Amino acid sequence: MGAVTSAPVPLPRRLVAEFLGSAFLAAIVIGSGIAAQRLSPGNTGLELLENAAATAAGLFAIILMFGAVSGAHFNPVVSFADAALGGLSWRDAAAYLPVQVAGCVTGAVAANLMFALPAVSISTKHRASGAHALSEVIATAGLILVIFALARSGRLASAPAAVGAYIGAAYFFTSSTSFANPAITIGRMFSNTFAGIAPSSAPVFIAAQIGGGIAGVLLIRVLYPALTPAQAAGVIVPHGAGDGAHAGRDHQATSDGR
């Protein structure tokens, strides 16, 4: 593949993309959970399958929608992992965090309203246990491994499908149903529905996700020591470099020539 020079994307545009993508993500996760509850009442396995399938498909779509602008992180752990690996400036990662959280809260409110529920209903679903915390560590570390392994191997064009597939699978192989994202954890507090999480459980999930992110970065450094900042800068999908520490770098073109 030949290299192309991507025009720098100003930080404000990237923040708008991260906000909108995070809002869509929360709306998809929470909205599909509400729909699943209504379509398959009392059948938890089928409800989870419907929720997981919608999330996997929706995540694939929104990564394609916004990836060319911001990289489609929608997740503070991904952004700070990218900064730790040299692909994003720490300043920009810090700027991504509040808009990702705000986007997820907005998406939760939108999902509630679309199903004629109160705009905000604080979840009472308690999830904090040792098994849930371990699940979140593993789910988050696995997500980081998927994303940055694809970056190192030059297969970022596959990232939308790979990330969606991984999260969809992790709904079932983890007891926590794989939040793997502090922003969506906060957003899901604001919907007392199938996908919600009680505020008292959220700190355990967020701490485990941060731990999983750190573990994922360490594993990437061990497994892929040749990962370069230029490769990391393209996650989750190749996009124009921002105005951070690595602005104006050349990025690999995707397989379809974009």
Side-chain angles (χ1 to χ4, degrees):
M1 291 186 298
V4 294
T5 301
S6 299
V9 178
L11 180 60
R13 280 182 57 199
R14 287 184 282 135
L15 296 181
V16 170
E18 285 296 302
F19 173 83
L20 291 173
S22 298
F24 271 107
L25 175 60
I28 290 165
V29 171
I30 295 169
S32 64
I34 297 170
Q37 271 190 315
R38 294 184 179 182
L39 292 170
S40 307
N43 191 333
T44 305
L46 185 55
E47 290 171 352
L48 184 60
L49 177 61
E50 292 163 350
N51 192 202
T55 299
L59 188 54
F60 174 86
I62 61 174
I63 289 173
L64 292 178
M65 286 165 63
F66 300 108
V69 180
S70 68
H73 294 182
F74 316 142
N75 184 337
V77 171
V78 173
S79 298
F80 280 95
D82 200 17
L85 294 168
L88 185 70
S89 73
W90 289 100
R91 182 198 68 179
D92 287 3
Y96 275 28
L97 188 154
V99 300
Q100 290 162 343
V101 173
C104 285
V105 172
T106 301
V109 171
N112 290 335
L113 292 174
M114 285 192 289
F115 286 90
L117 297 173
V120 174
S121 57
I122 302 301
S123 178
T124 59
K125 184 171 288 189
H126 295 280
R127 299 176 182 260
S129 72
H132 288 137
L134 176 61
S135 293
E136 285 300 294
V137 170
I138 292 171
T140 309
L143 178 62
I144 297 302
L145 284 170
V146 168
I147 292 168
F148 289 95
L150 289 172
R152 176 65 186 90
S153 59
R155 294 178 293 171
L156 281 173
S158 301
V163 171
Y166 174 80
I167 292 297
Y171 264 65
F172 285 90
F173 80 74
T174 65
S175 63
S176 64
T177 66
S178 182
F179 288 41
N181 181 340
I184 194 69
T185 301
I186 293 171
R188 288 164 75 157
M189 290 165 43
F190 292 88
S191 184
N192 189 25
T193 58
F194 182 76
I197 180 171
S200 60
S201 298
V204 172
F205 270 55
I206 292 171
Q209 290 154 3
I210 293 170
I214 293 170
V217 169
L218 293 176
L219 287 170
I220 285 292
R221 291 194 182 279
V222 171
L223 295 170
Y224 300 99
L227 179 73
T228 67
Q231 289 169 330
V235 300
I236 291 175
V237 294
H239 55 284
D243 54 0
H246 305 288
R249 266 198 305 263
D250 288 349
H251 296 295
Q252 289 293 321
T254 60
S255 59
D256 60 1
R258 288 179 296 178

